[in-house]
Amino acid sequence: DTEVTQTPKHLVMGMTNKKSLKCEQHMGHRAMYWYKQKAKKPPELMFVYSYEKLSINESVPSRFSPECPNSSLLNLHLHALQPEDSALYLCASSLPGLAARLKSTDTQYFGPGTRLTVL
Amino acid sequence: GENVEQHPSTLSVQEGDSAVIKCTYSDSASNYFPWYKQELGKRPQLIIDIRSNVGEKKDQRIAVTLNKTAKHFSLHITETQPEDSAVYFCAASSVYAGGTSYGKLTFGQGTILTVHP
């Protein structure tokens, strides 16, 4: 299995709703990432988890709350979002550290994304 | 932090022509340079990558060159086809720098490539 999957594909929510995005990979990767992408712009890094521990938080507002319950799953909990948070949310994964160096691969594989609309 | 500049922002070519997209980076510690292709509504997909110990890499119609001294790298697509039309992103990363176990990618702003039949 060489895929990163994300659910749901589309999500419409109001500013007072609470929702979650889910990402899953079964490639044995131990680094997982959340990106936000606006139309015609590059992906912007939000969070990085390495070995299920939060390693990077790129000063993301607290209305976005990441969670990594195990090595295959990554969630992004959403609460009290703003219309400007509407975007494509991408998950990615990669082999971490020594394993990647030994295999000479540190490629980040992206999921298909969740298209989020905040009304 | 790292800064990646990508040019041109749009590129229009005729089918069969070559296309070249150029990127420059600022951090001399960067050692990994992937290129992603993103079709409308789809995920970014890796098409080729190069590491700092290599000057050139080729995969069929796609090639990437790296000049570490000048801190720039380029994507070359030969014999372009309409299905090559997409947004292309370059990126740079100092993978596993400082003993970290992940790579932090910094993306260029993207190039919209249109191949006319």
Side-chain angles (χ1 to χ4, degrees):
Chain A
D1 188 350
T2 57
E3 274 213 1
V4 178
T5 59
Q6 288 186 246
T7 54
K9 288 185 180 179
H10 301 275
L11 179 62
V12 179
M13 60 187 290
M15 290 192 285
T16 58
N17 292 157
K18 283 186 182 180
K19 295 285 184 182
S20 296
L21 309 184
K22 181 179 171 181
C23 172
E24 197 163 0
Q25 56 87 14
H26 295 288
M27 294 182 276
H29 291 175
R30 300 304 296 275
M32 296 185 78
Y33 311 76
W34 278 116
Y35 289 87
K36 173 184 177 181
Q37 187 178 29
K38 291 279 203 178
K40 299 183 181 179
K41 296 291 185 183
E44 295 175 42
L45 183 66
M46 299 174 72
F47 302 104
V48 180
Y49 273 84
S50 177
Y51 291 96
E52 296 91 71
K53 290 196 171 124
L54 184 64
S55 299
I56 291 184
N57 175 341
E58 292 285 46
S59 302
V60 179
S62 59
R63 57 186 184 268
F64 296 91
S65 175
E67 178 196 19
C68 189
N70 60 55
S71 60
S72 300
L73 274 176
L74 185 66
N75 298 321
L76 186 63
H77 304 296
L78 314 172
H79 174 55
L81 294 193
Q82 305 296 309
E84 58 265 29
D85 296 322
S86 298
L88 180 68
Y89 287 84
L90 293 160
C91 172
S93 69
S94 69
L95 271 175
L98 181 60
R101 292 191 205 110
L102 291 174
K103 290 194 177 189
S104 296
T105 174
D106 34 31
T107 303
Q108 286 190 27
Y109 294 91
F110 284 86
T114 294
R115 177 74 60 190
L116 174 67
T117 303
V118 182
L119 301 176
Chain B
E2 175 65 279
N3 182 51
V4 177
E5 302 267 344
Q6 183 172 345
H7 298 281
S9 55
T10 60
L11 181 57
S12 185
V13 300
Q14 288 297 127
E15 183 176 1
D17 287 351
S18 294
V20 180
I21 302 170
K22 299 183 179 183
C23 290
T24 59
Y25 61 98
S26 61
D27 189 351
S28 56
S30 288
N31 57 10
Y32 174 62
F33 307 93
W35 286 88
Y36 286 89
K37 174 185 179 182
Q38 188 173 27
E39 296 175 32
L40 191 63
K42 301 265 181 84
R43 74 186 83 192
Q45 289 207 297
L46 181 81
I47 55 171
I48 197 166
D49 58 14
I50 192 167
R51 286 165 178 78
S52 57
N53 58 348
V54 176
E56 184 174 358
K57 184 176 177 180
K58 191 173 180 182
D59 182 4
Q60 300 183 342
R61 296 187 297 109
I62 294 172
V64 57
T65 58
L66 171 65
N67 183 326
K68 280 195 300 180
T69 304
K71 295 203 194 92
H72 66 71
F73 56 112
S74 300
L75 177 72
H76 305 254
I77 306 174
T78 58
E79 301 170 24
T80 54
Q81 299 164 5
E83 49 265 39
D84 293 330
S85 298
V87 181
Y88 290 79
F89 292 103
C90 64
S93 173
S94 50
V95 181
Y96 313 118
T100 59
S101 297
Y102 50 83
K104 185 178 174 183
L105 289 176
T106 300
F107 286 89
Q109 289 301 303
T111 296
I112 302 171
L113 174 64
T114 305
V115 181
H116 299 282

